[in-house]
């Protein structure tokens, strides 16, 4: 019996150090978040990605696994963000006919919306005496994660801080747009979807597909265009101002 307890104790200390442990924990938290989201009857205020993040944070707090070791263990999952960035060209190509039909509203609304999303976050943080690292980490908070990570590295910000900002932004943008659409009596799925994609990146896009295929298509379009536009102007503007 004592030998079994010693083996279990040894396993409890060595298991968190194995690289596959981080991957298993991540996938387990994600699928548990999906189940919990379904059990809660799909609330708009609490998407499954938020539930999964909270569950994963709780697991990491209980296990002797530091963030550095965890991030090293999920390195290949992070690597997959590269192909995901390239894959953003697929929904963009699929919506070329929408771009041609609605290019004027898109040109008029997308640039100021993307600039405002970065500007107000940086402005508020600057008024609160945030460090340059924090400012750089918050600037691309409304861009989908694969592109935002590349931007924040260019700006010399913090990727962990960025990921937290992305999660909060996606959840709050999705909730706010849903409530504002009801308050403003807006029912056009193109408008709602595009707003969710521009402001809520991937989390908003998932919500848009819940509304319908048209909203999801325009959310993918808004998310893709916002990522491309921000990746072009934000580093140039940042280095110019800095």
């Amino acid at each position: 019996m004592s030998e079994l307890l010693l083996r279990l104790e040894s396993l409890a200390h060595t298991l968190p150090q194995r690289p596959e442990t981080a991957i298993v924990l991540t996938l387990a938290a994600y699928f548990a978040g999906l189940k919990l989201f379904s059990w809660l009857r799909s609330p708009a205020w609490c998407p499954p990605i938020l539930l999964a993040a909270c569950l994963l944070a709780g697991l990491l707090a209980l296990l002797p696994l530091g963030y550095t070791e965890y991030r090293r263990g999920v390195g290949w999952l992070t690597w997959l963000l590269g192909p995901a960035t390239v894959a953003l060209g697929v929904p963009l190509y699929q919506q070329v006919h929408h771009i041609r039909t609605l290019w004027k509203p898109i040109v008029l609304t997308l640039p100021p919306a993307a600039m405002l999303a970065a500007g107000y976050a940086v402005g508020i943080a600057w008024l609160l005496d945030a460090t340059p690292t924090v400012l750089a980490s918050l600037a691309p908070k409304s861009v989908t994660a694969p592109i935002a990570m590349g931007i924040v590295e260019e700006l010399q910000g913090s990727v962990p801080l960025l990921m937290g900002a992305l999660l909060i932004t996606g959840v709050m943008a999705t909730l706010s747009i849903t409530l504002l659409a009801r308050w403003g009596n807006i029912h056009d799925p193109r408008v709602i979807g595009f707003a969710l994609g521009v402001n809520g990146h991937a989390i908003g896009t998932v919500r848009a597909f819940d509304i319908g295929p048209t909203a999801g298509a325009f959310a993918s379009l808004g998310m893709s265009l916002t990522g491309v536009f921000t990746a072009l102007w934000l580093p140039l503007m940042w280095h110019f101002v800095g």
Side-chain angles (χ1 to χ4, degrees):
M1 186 66 178
S2 59
E3 183 179 355
L4 177 60
L5 292 176
L6 289 175
R7 289 184 178 182
L8 291 176
E9 184 179 358
S10 176
L11 180 63
H13 285 84
T14 58
L15 187 60
Q17 308 304 322
R18 299 171 63 92
E20 60 269 23
T21 301
I23 298 174
V24 172
L25 289 176
T26 303
L27 295 178
Y30 174 71
F31 288 115
L34 289 177
K35 287 291 185 180
L36 186 56
F37 180 72
S38 177
W39 182 72
L40 293 174
R41 299 182 180 179
S42 305
W45 53 269
C46 193
I49 190 66
L50 177 60
L51 296 172
C54 293
L55 290 173
L56 182 59
L59 289 173
L60 293 179
L62 294 174
L63 295 174
L65 177 64
Y67 176 76
T68 303
E69 291 77 13
Y70 168 78
R71 187 176 178 184
R72 188 183 302 116
V74 295
W76 75 273
L77 290 178
T78 306
W79 178 85
L80 289 176
L81 291 175
T85 305
V86 179
L88 289 176
V90 176
L92 193 60
Y93 172 77
Q94 292 174 339
Q95 305 305 320
V96 168
H97 57 290
H98 289 310
I99 298 176
R100 292 173 179 171
T101 304
L102 301 172
W103 69 270
K104 288 183 178 179
I106 292 174
V107 169
L108 290 175
T109 57
L110 181 68
M115 292 181 178
L116 182 62
Y120 81 79
V122 173
I124 294 175
W126 179 76
L127 290 175
L128 296 175
D129 294 327
T131 63
T133 300
V134 174
L135 296 178
S137 304
L138 294 178
K141 65 171 184 56
S142 295
V143 182
T144 186
I147 298 178
M149 291 179 66
I151 296 175
V152 83
E153 289 176 357
E154 176 70 19
L155 303 184
Q156 298 181 351
S158 170
V159 173
L161 181 58
L162 165 70
M163 300 308 291
L166 285 174
L167 179 60
I168 295 173
T169 299
V171 173
M172 294 305 299
T174 300
L175 178 60
S176 300
I177 292 171
T178 301
L179 294 176
L180 287 174
R182 294 176 182 174
W183 178 74
N185 199 26
I186 300 173
H187 302 289
D188 191 333
R190 299 174 301 174
V191 176
I192 298 174
F194 191 72
L196 285 169
V198 170
N199 297 281
H201 47 81
I203 297 177
T205 301
V206 172
R207 171 58 181 166
F209 275 107
D210 289 338
I211 297 174
T214 301
F218 273 85
S220 298
L221 175 63
M223 179 182 65
S224 302
L225 291 178
T226 300
V228 173
F229 178 77
T230 306
L232 292 174
W233 79 267
L234 185 56
L236 293 176
M237 182 64 67
W238 193 267
H239 291 302
F240 176 77
V241 173

